[in-house]
C-alpha cells in the first residue's frame, strides 16, 4: 500500500555507477601516489609539515563508507531546512532516476578530506539547491560546492569535504592561490596554505551516475 505522505531521503544526489566508482578510485590512487612522492621529497618538506602539535597527514587512514556520490541537497529525512521544498521541485521530480554524466575537473586533499571537484552543466545546476549557504557567503559561482567525497580522516565528517573545497575555490577566486607546485602527467598541482592541495586535471574525467535519493 502506498504511503499518503512522501518519504524524504537523508540526501539527494548523483550516485556513481559501479564501473565509474572504480575508475574514480583508481584515478584517486594515482593522485595519492604523486602526493606521497612529493611528501617524501625534501624540496617540499615545508608544505607537508603541519604546525605544532598536529600530526602529518597520513593518507592511509582516510576512509569512506557508503556509495560514491555527489550530494545535491542534504535533507536529513526531512528535518533539514528546505528539504520538502527541494523534493517538490519540478526538476527533481522529472529527473529522479535519470542517468547523468558528471565531469570531474580536479582532485583535492587536505589534512581532513579527500575529494573530487565536479563541474556541473547548466542542466545539472537545475538540481542544485537554491538555498546553498555558499551563495550568501563568499559570492562564489552557483554550484561551487559540487564534489564527491572520496575519503575523510578519522573523526572527520563527510560534510567537511565541501567546506574544504569552498575555501580553496574562494582562495582561487581572490587570486590568493596557492603556488603551482608541479606539472604532473595528469594535470597541474597547486599548493594552498595549511597542507591543502588541488590537482586540476588536464582532461576532465567523465563518470556515469544516476540522480536519486539515499534513504537508509
Ligand atoms: P558530502 O556530500 O561531502 O559527502 C550524508 O551525510 C551525505 O550528505 C554526505 O555525502 C555528506 O557530505 C552530505 N552532507 C551532510 N551534511 C550536509 C550539509 N549540512 N550540507 C551539505 N551536505 C551535507
Amino acid at each position: 500500500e502506498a504511503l499518503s505522505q512522501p518519504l524524504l531521503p537523508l540526501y539527494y544526489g548523483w550516485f556513481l555507477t559501479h564501473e565509474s566508482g572504480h575508475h574514480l578510485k583508481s584515478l584517486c590512487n594515482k593522485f595519492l601516489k604523486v602526493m606521497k612522492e612529493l611528501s617524501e621529497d625534501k624540496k617540499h618538506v615545508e608544505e607537508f609539515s603541519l604546525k605544532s602539535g598536529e600530526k602529518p597527514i597520513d593518507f592511509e587512514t582516510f576512509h569512506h563508507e557508503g556509495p560514491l556520490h555527489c550530494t545535491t541537497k542534504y535533507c536529513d529525512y526531512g528535518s533539514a531546512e528546505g528539504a520538502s521544498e527541494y523534493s517538490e521541485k519540478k526538476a527533481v521530480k522529472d529527473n529522479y532516476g535519470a542517468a547523468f554524466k558528471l565531469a570531474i575537473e580536479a582532485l583535492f586533499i587536505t589534512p581532513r578530506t579527500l575529494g573530487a571537484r565536479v563541474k556541473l552543466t547548466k542542466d545539472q545546476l537545475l538540481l542544485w539547491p537554491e538555498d546553498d549557504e555558499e551563495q550568501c557567503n563568499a559570492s562564489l559561482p552557483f554550484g561551487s560546492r559540487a564534489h564527491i567525497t572520496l575519503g575523510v580522516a578519522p573523526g572527520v565528517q563527510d560534510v567537511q569535504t565541501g567546506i574544504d573545497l569552498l575555501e580553496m575555490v574562494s582562495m582561487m577566486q581572490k587570486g590568493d592561490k596557492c603556488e603551482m607546485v608541479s606539472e604532473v602527467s595528469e594535470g597541474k598541482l597547486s599548493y594552498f596554505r595549511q597542507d591543502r592541495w588541488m590537482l586540476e586535471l588536464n582532461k576532465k574525467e567523465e563518470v556515469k551516475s544516476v540522480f536519486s535519493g539515499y534513504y537508509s
Side-chain angles (χ1 to χ4, degrees):
E1 197 189 324
L3 296 175
S4 54
Q5 291 289 318
L7 283 180
L8 291 182
L10 178 59
Y11 60 90
Y12 286 94
W14 289 282
F15 294 82
L16 268 55
T17 61
H18 181 75
E19 193 191 2
S20 284
H22 202 72
H23 178 66
L24 184 58
K25 278 187 197 157
S26 70
L27 188 72
C28 203
N29 284 337
K30 275 194 216 158
F31 174 49
L32 289 180
K33 199 163 159 259
V34 170
M35 295 302 294
K36 198 161 187 295
E37 281 164 12
L38 267 179
S39 71
E40 285 161 5
D41 179 350
K42 293 264 183 307
K43 258 193 344 217
H44 296 288
V45 165
E46 226 169 88
E47 287 98 323
F48 283 96
S49 66
L50 280 167
K51 312 257 152 42
S52 58
E54 285 185 78
K55 281 185 274 166
I57 319 179
D58 181 3
F59 307 127
E60 313 280 317
T61 63
F62 281 42
H63 63 280
H64 179 262
E65 272 157 43
L68 284 183
H69 67 275
C70 173
T71 306
T72 54
K73 173 74 184 170
Y74 178 68
C75 292
D76 196 12
Y77 308 110
S79 315
E81 211 176 308
S84 58
E85 289 81 353
Y86 179 84
S87 71
E88 293 298 320
K89 271 164 74 98
K90 184 169 173 359
V92 171
K93 292 190 159 176
D94 288 353
N95 287 292
Y96 199 87
F100 286 84
K101 260 193 231 161
L102 296 181
I104 309 290
E105 57 178 337
L107 300 174
F108 58 93
I109 191 158
T110 78
R112 298 161 297 278
T113 63
L114 169 64
R117 186 178 185 194
V118 176
K119 172 84 184 155
L120 299 176
T121 63
K122 259 196 201 145
D123 286 345
Q124 291 164 355
L125 283 171
L126 294 174
L127 293 166
W128 198 252
E130 273 124 39
D131 56 2
D132 200 316
E133 268 170 51
E134 83 215 23
Q135 278 182 103
C136 324
N137 310 353
S139 65
L140 295 175
F142 195 55
S144 292
R145 183 202 289 265
H147 69 279
I148 297 163
T149 298
L150 286 151
V152 292
V156 173
Q157 299 208 312
D158 286 358
V159 65
Q160 185 63 42
T161 317
I163 299 167
D164 284 356
L165 173 60
L166 284 179
E167 278 178 12
M168 283 192 264
V169 174
S170 170
M171 286 173 79
M172 284 163 102
Q173 285 247 315
K174 285 189 208 131
D176 178 15
K177 230 181 162 177
C178 70
E179 192 187 312
M180 211 268 268
V181 173
S182 55
E183 301 248 8
V184 292
S185 58
E186 291 82 9
K188 240 181 20 183
L189 185 64
S190 300
Y191 171 66
F192 297 69
R193 290 187 304 271
Q194 297 162 337
D195 305 87
R196 296 174 291 180
W197 304 79
M198 188 178 286
L199 175 66
E200 290 168 89
L201 300 171
N202 288 330
K203 198 175 111 313
K204 287 196 183 82
E205 287 286 334
E206 289 199 324
V207 290
K208 289 184 200 151
S209 68
V210 174
F211 179 71
S212 183
Y214 186 81
Y215 292 85
S216 35

